Amino acid sequence: MANDILQVKCDICAEIAHEPFIECCECETNLCSSCFASGKEKGSHKNDHKYAVRRNDFPLFENCNWSAKEECKLLSALSTYGYGNWEEISKSVHTRSKLECQEHYKKYYIEKVQYTELKLIPETEQSLFLKPLTPYLFNTELSTNPPRNNQSDQLLAGYNAYRSEFELSYDHNAENIFNIEDGYSDDDDDCMDALKVSLVSALNTRLKERQRRYKVIQNHGLIMPNKLLSWLKRFDSTLSRPKSERLLPFMQFMTGMQFDAFMESLNLEEDLINRIVRLCEYRRNGMRTLYSARLYMQLKKNNDMAYKEQRYATSIMMKKFDSQSPVKHKFYFGNTIGKRYRKASLPLDIIDLPGFHLLSESEKSLCSNIRLIPRNYLEIKKILITENNKLGFLRLLDARRIVKIDVNKTRKIYDYLLSEGFVSKP
């Protein structure tokens, strides 16, 4: 330990003599306070000898407020943790901060050495009379002021291209696994050696995981996350964003080209499924050629537009008639002056949307009426059924808390699942 240098053993009981201890002035025998108080004698030492009380609270250097005990702790910690690890050294000294330890060692052991025994490094002409350094032929500003992340590097996920490292590494506390107290006896050497081997093995495992993650980042170009998210937008029309984000963990099992091919193949699969569903619709409506199918889609589009215009014109005429009728005007608008009535939304055409082929007829009608994409409806259905299986029941309040969409749509989905027996009330 740090204070092993100052430990003195009692010559009578062979125990460590804690401060203050007694030193015999005639036979140079060291005694602990308990042996001295009981008047024990051993060999040539007698209890009537002259004695002196010893403490290690005296300074070793002139004009210094450090005690000998603190000096020994500092030197012992330096030999254990190495020069420069001032934070661990200050923890070992206990009574000094890391800045005080650094300044004290630099002043009394390097710059102003007061004892010749401490001058371990020979003084040379270069150390006493420093020569000016030869200037470099290139700009040294990057050396004195290393590049740091600026406002233009905010999209790089904390990565600094100049130093080829991240500001905050993955599992950055891995090296702190060795911050353990090195206080053990000689009998525990085998146990401590086994513990240190285990700690080194654990550190290697964590460092390997850090390098593995960095390799995944390098292979897939994940330094710029915004670029990755913009790339995923290509699959919103087929795979949908939630499914694309759930596929991202597969990056660690593939190379960059393999993952791109994987995503493109899934995108192609969904596109083919949507085409098959569209062709099935054409066949149900009697279409047998692509020309007739294109004509059918154009006529259907025109029909939908005409239907919307007709619905809009009908609603305008109804409002005008109701406002002019004295009876209906009083009935409908008497107590709601200034309020606006919400316009009824038209059913959504979900035939070509992803997930349409997975719906039943009743579910297709539900998604069309509430204007919800089939893929999103299937995800909401899965979440609500899972929550119902977990609790044994599902309340409307819980459904609205879990599903973050319009509360009216949530109620209609909840009522449908309740009527079909997918969920149950408490």
Side-chain angles (χ1 to χ4, degrees), residues 101-215:
C101 294
Q102 181 180 359
E103 294 296 332
H104 179 78
Y105 184 80
K106 181 179 179 182
K107 179 178 180 181
Y108 292 98
Y109 292 92
I110 297 179
E111 296 178 352
K112 298 179 181 180
V113 182
Q114 300 181 6
Y115 302 102
T116 55
E117 292 81 359
L118 296 177
K119 295 182 179 181
L120 302 179
I121 302 177
E123 295 180 352
T124 60
E125 182 180 359
Q126 179 64 23
S127 63
L128 295 177
F129 307 99
L130 296 177
K131 296 180 180 180
L133 298 176
T134 303
Y136 290 98
L137 298 179
F138 53 88
N139 190 5
T140 59
E141 291 182 359
L142 293 178
S143 300
T144 57
N145 186 17
R148 299 175 176 83
N149 283 353
N150 49 34
Q151 297 296 329
S152 63
D153 297 333
Q154 291 181 352
L155 302 178
L156 296 182
Y159 179 77
N160 194 309
Y162 293 97
R163 293 196 295 264
S164 185
E165 62 182 13
F166 290 88
E167 282 189 350
L168 186 63
S169 302
Y170 171 77
D171 195 9
H172 62 282
N173 295 322
E175 289 78 3
N176 294 342
I177 195 174
F178 292 104
N179 291 346
I180 60 174
E181 291 292 336
D182 192 14
Y184 61 95
S185 61
D186 296 337
D187 299 335
D188 299 334
D189 287 343
D190 296 338
C191 182
M192 289 302 298
D193 291 343
L195 175 60
K196 290 179 180 179
V197 171
S198 301
L199 292 177
V200 171
S201 177
L203 176 63
N204 289 335
T205 302
R206 297 169 72 172
L207 293 181
K208 288 179 182 178
E209 177 63 17
R210 180 188 297 174
Q211 293 301 320
R212 187 188 71 83
R213 289 174 178 261
Y214 286 167
K215 189 175 181 180

Side-chain angles (χ1 to χ4, degrees), residues 277-289:
V277 172
R278 199 178 305 119
L279 291 174
C280 292
E281 181 195 2
Y282 296 157
R283 180 58 60 90
R284 285 195 304 268
N285 289 276
M287 307 295 111
R288 295 185 178 274
T289 61

Side-chain angles (χ1 to χ4, degrees), residues 225-287:
N226 291 341
K227 188 176 181 180
L228 173 65
L229 296 178
S230 62
W231 175 71
L232 290 178
K233 289 182 179 179
R234 296 178 58 249
F235 311 107
D236 288 350
S237 59
T238 54
L239 297 177
S240 75
R241 178 57 65 87
K243 185 176 180 179
S244 301
E245 292 179 354
R246 286 200 299 267
L247 293 173
L248 292 181
F250 288 95
M251 284 184 172
Q252 55 188 325
F253 307 112
M254 308 177 187
T255 62
M257 295 297 295
Q258 290 175 348
F259 185 75
D260 290 349
F262 173 68
M263 294 294 292
E264 292 294 343
S265 61
L266 292 178
N267 183 40
L268 179 60
E269 178 190 7
E270 291 291 336
D271 188 32
L272 291 176
I273 292 175
N274 293 335
R275 289 186 180 183
I276 292 173
V277 172
R278 199 178 305 119
L279 291 174
C280 292
E281 181 195 2
Y282 296 157
R283 180 58 60 90
R284 285 195 304 268
N285 289 276
M287 307 295 111

Side-chain angles (χ1 to χ4, degrees), residues 340-358:
R340 292 185 179 180
Y341 289 92
R342 186 175 181 179
K343 181 181 177 181
S345 301
L346 296 177
L348 178 66
D349 186 8
I350 62 174
I351 293 178
D352 296 333
L353 298 180
F356 174 77
H357 62 286
L358 301 176

